[in-house]
Amino acid sequence: MSGKAIHTSRPAFKRLDIQSAKSFEKAQHANNLVQATAVDSKKSDQILYLPTANLASWSFDIATGDLWWSAELEWFFNQFPQQADRQHMRATIRAELAPWLQGIALRAVAAQGDQWPELKLQVRMPDNSSKMLQFLCHRGGHQRHSGILTGIAYELDSAGQRERLFREAFEFGPFGAAIIDSHGHFLRVNAAFARLLGYTREEFSRRSANEITPAGDISLDREAMRALLRAGNGRAAIFKQYLHRDGHLIDAQVEFAIISGDVAQPDETLCFLVFVQDLTELRKTQAELYTSQIRSELALASTGIGIWEWNGNQNGAFYSPRTCEILDVELKELFSDESLLASIHLDDIKDYVESRMQHTNGDTPLHRAEIRIRQRNGSYKWVEDIGKILERDEQGRPLRVVGTLLDIHDRKAMEETLKRQSCEIASLVEHSPDGMIRYDCELRRLHANPAMRRFLRGIDPKDVIGLPATEDDITGIPTDYLDTLRSVLRTGQEADLETSYISSSGSHNWLHAHFTPEINADGKVSTVLVVMRDITEAVSHREDIEKLAYRDSLTGLPNRAWFNRVFETTLADAEAKNVQFALVILDLDNFKDVNDTLGHAAGDQLLCEVAQRLSVELRQSDTFARLGGDEFAIFLQNVGHRQNVSEITNRLLAAIARPFHMEGRDMLVSGSLGIACYPDDGASPRDLFAHADAALYEAKARGRNNFQYYDEALTARARLRVNLGNASHTACANKELELYYQPKVDLSSGEIIGAEALLRWRHPELGLLMPDSFIPITEENGTIVEIGDWVIRTAAQTAVDWNSKRLKPLKIAVNLSPRQFKQNDLAKQIEIALTQTSCRAEWLECEITESLLLNDEPGVQTTLQKLRAMGLSVAIDDFGTGHSALAYLSRFPIDVLKIDRSFIAQMGKNDRGTELVKAFTSIADALGMTTVAEGIETNEQAASLNGFGCEIGQGYFFGKPVALHDFNKHFL
């Protein structure tokens, strides 16, 4: 048998506290054999654990009988002095152990599963005392086929205490601990090791140490590690890194100790006990400490603090360069305390010396003094000198004093400025016309300036200091004022308030108060400062301005701006309460005629009377406003059904329909109303206004003096009107307009004597549009003037083209809009067109409507006379369909009377229709006018009209309106 001793003398270690989780008897595997970790109660860098725990390791080769043990085992058998023969001691150990090991080896080989045979040996010591040694051995796992037993030994000093402590030290120690085999696989790890690397203990089963080690780490070099272990007699300590489960690196100090096998001859028996200490926090702390030192140095330099020290042991003093700079002296000039005292202002020496004496006597923890130091130029600088005694001698006299010197000259100057400003502010507060008052958290009044008297019902502010502000306060504090004050105390947010208060005279005045929370050192609101000002006059002016801004100056009704403002509130309220309301837009019919005929004063009077009448018909809950011109808007609140709306609007129409007595005569007026209901017709002001306007337009289109509800079809028509209105501005420039021509025939001969020019619009998207779909729109937006000028020029050019080679000329009739008579000089415009196209006046005929003549405007008669003088003929179109007044036929220069097609269609159906046509023909004949019949569709109609004396006919019987080239082809 052979043995190998690692140590020849026992190393000295501090005693460690070792704990165990459960007894060794329940262990199942070899890696449970030695599981320990240790915590030094004074140091955290303990690295050698087996000897500290008084454990020895050993192995026995069953086949050869070779026995190996660690140095600790020799200490257990150490009944020899140190000078004893080592060979003799080893022989003794082999003699004691080999027979028993050979015996249990045979039983272990024959046994099933892992075995834990144990042996207790009593060892006789040199002083005749004895001690009991406990041996544990194991043969299992990969060792089962090697024939090698491994184990540990220890003294039985307290009935199994040591093995329990050893196991618990491994399991629950704060350091990571593991047992690793010769291939670098983990046999066992403790919870601390698994936690350090972010795994569970089960995940380390048979895991290789290489898997958690970054490339290039020394622990991956087996030869280098074996060299370290050999050099350390089976122990080594290295610094390495581990890969945490999440990928980050962990700095660690790792201690290796061989617990079985021989590193010189590595085989399956070689196992290591490894302890791992995480150095990440240590490195971090070191880095933070270094950073802190750098920061401290930078902070000290940035603050401009001077350092000084007096050392009695060395009989010397130290002054930093900054200290010399503050004192404005060279270092060599600071040779004693007297030299420093000599530079102190005389008024400050007493306090300075007294402060030093108090600290020297132990009355104060520090010496602190603010003094003025004389500078080289004779001025004085304020400095703060702070000192502390660090050492005293046996008699209590100072031996070492350190301190700082700080330039506080700017601070003192600022303090003086602030002191002066504080006095000024205090004076301003006392004499300010604004009331100022401060409250604490209990609403107690802490301070109030004299101006507060007016806001306290004339009470002297001094009489309320210390009293809390309450609802039943004698000063009559408004409730909203107290609510705002409490809110500012609770939230810490500034606030403003306008409220009314009772003055000392008993009148109700207005004040504006600004609440400012004042925050203490804890970041909480400690007090609230309130500054208030009387704004009674400003409120009165503001109300006057609002009346001007939101009231119609003529009717006294709310105006559009106010109505829009209320609209938002009404809409929000209806949405919140889920109720309906109706928006009504009302427009007076033909109001412009009133202004034009009776003047604007009469128009204004009419608007005022209409406003009064409608106000009487509306309910208290309704809202009524004038939007502008003759347009009014109404909110009808609390209308559950359209029937309710209809009842109210019928009353409004009836009120307007009653005669208005103006300028000595009665005037009949009517109105049109458009209605949009919330929420059915829209949920926004924009939609409701647009839809009510669309309904109003529909009411006017249906003959006025009625009301219409909105429906979706109106929106489509309104959108079309807008699109056409916009496009009409460019229709001429884009050459989208065309003239169609319908032949006019001499009824007696059947000969074509001319044509009527009828306007068409070839829209790029909507196709060919008839005049009824766009002429009213162009009348409204004024583009009819430009379009009418184009019609006149185009018809004149066509007349020239037709008549240039004809012996008997053809006359072309063009329709004139009333708008053309009211804008520009129509006669001059036509004269220019005739001149530019070389058209003769007798080749054109102007058709006008009855409504133009009924207005009896002087300008119309003048224009017609000019046209007549130029040689153009004038025709009344659609005669009999309007409010015909036969008197105008004699007053105006009319040449042609065109009977409307509706009368021609009644001929032959009833005698009355025929007689009317006869009458029209007779009237025209009596006045020397030519008669034209429109809408002739049959030969019978043409024959009858000819018999009645009607000279000219026009209608589908003779030909439909066609484009110019078709007319030239078929009728010329």
Side-chain angles (χ1 to χ4, degrees), residues 924-938:
D925 183 60
L927 296 175
M929 300 178 185
T930 302
T931 307
V932 178
E934 293 182 296
I936 299 175
E937 296 184 356
T938 65

Side-chain angles (χ1 to χ4, degrees), residues 500-808:
S500 62
Y501 73 98
I502 300 176
S503 67
S504 57
S505 63
S507 62
H508 287 271
N509 292 353
W510 283 87
L511 65 82
H512 173 271
H514 180 75
F515 298 77
T516 303
E518 297 175 321
I519 312 300
N520 60 19
D522 297 330
K524 297 180 179 179
V525 179
S526 59
T527 56
V528 174
L529 177 66
V530 184
V531 179
M532 59 188 70
R533 174 177 297 179
D534 185 277
I535 58 169
T536 304
E537 186 176 353
V539 169
S540 177
H541 289 170
R542 186 171 62 198
E543 290 175 350
D544 292 340
I545 292 173
E546 286 184 354
K547 288 180 181 178
L548 293 175
Y550 295 116
R551 287 282 170 178
D552 177 48
S553 58
L554 177 62
T555 63
L557 293 175
N559 61 11
R560 179 186 291 273
W562 183 88
F563 193 79
N564 290 337
R565 191 175 177 183
V566 173
F567 204 151
E568 297 288 346
T569 305
T570 302
L571 198 61
D573 188 60
E575 183 178 1
K577 297 179 180 179
N578 194 26
V579 296
Q580 298 180 345
F581 69 86
L583 171 64
V584 180
I585 304 296
L586 183 149
D587 191 86
L588 297 181
D589 297 331
N590 301 315
F591 176 73
K592 188 175 183 302
D593 294 342
V594 177
N595 279 335
D596 293 343
T597 57
L598 301 181
H600 290 282
D604 291 345
Q605 181 184 349
L606 176 62
L607 290 174
C608 291
E609 293 189 18
V610 168
Q612 291 175 1
R613 288 190 187 183
L614 296 182
S615 297
V616 172
E617 299 298 331
L618 293 173
R619 303 165 301 171
Q620 189 70 28
S621 60
D622 299 330
T623 303
F624 184 32
R626 181 189 176 205
L627 300 183
D630 62 325
E631 189 175 38
F632 299 85
I634 305 168
F635 281 134
L636 298 180
Q637 307 278 11
N638 303 320
V639 285
H641 304 283
R642 291 198 172 190
Q643 181 179 353
N644 304 127
V645 179
S646 298
E647 291 174 356
I648 297 173
T649 51
N650 277 322
R651 291 205 307 267
L652 298 178
L653 288 174
I656 297 173
R658 295 198 302 269
F660 291 89
H661 189 70
M662 301 179 66
E663 296 187 356
R665 62 178 178 175
D666 289 338
M667 176 179 293
L668 296 177
V669 179
S670 64
S672 300
L673 294 84
I675 306 169
C677 297
Y678 171 88
D680 296 341
D681 300 332
S684 69
R686 177 180 178 181
D687 290 344
L688 289 170
F689 261 121
H691 295 164
D693 274 334
L696 174 63
Y697 190 90
E698 182 67 14
K700 287 182 176 295
R702 295 193 181 191
R704 298 180 171 84
N705 195 28
N706 70 93
F707 63 85
Q708 295 295 323
Y709 287 96
Y710 168 78
D711 64 43
E712 292 184 1
L714 297 181
T715 298
R717 289 198 289 271
R719 188 177 296 112
L720 177 61
R721 286 198 307 272
V722 172
N723 293 338
L724 289 177
N726 292 334
S728 66
H729 290 278
T730 57
C732 289
N734 294 339
K735 299 181 179 180
E736 297 171 0
L737 301 178
E738 298 180 15
L739 285 182
Y740 274 42
Y741 299 89
Q742 186 175 30
K744 298 172 70 175
V745 176
D746 184 333
L747 292 178
S748 60
S749 65
E751 181 183 5
I752 294 177
I753 52 97
E756 180 179 1
L758 300 171
L759 183 62
R760 301 289 187 269
W761 183 359
R762 194 169 295 279
H763 194 278
E765 296 178 0
L766 302 176
L768 189 66
L769 301 179
M770 303 301 286
D772 289 345
S773 63
F774 64 87
I775 289 297
I777 298 172
T778 59
E779 290 273 4
E780 289 181 6
N781 64 18
T783 56
I784 189 63
V785 175
E786 179 187 4
I787 293 174
D789 182 53
W790 178 87
V791 170
I792 293 171
R793 291 174 181 272
T794 304
Q797 184 62 53
T798 302
V800 172
D801 294 341
W802 284 351
N803 297 327
S804 59
K805 297 180 180 180
R806 292 179 65 89
L807 296 176
K808 192 173 182 180

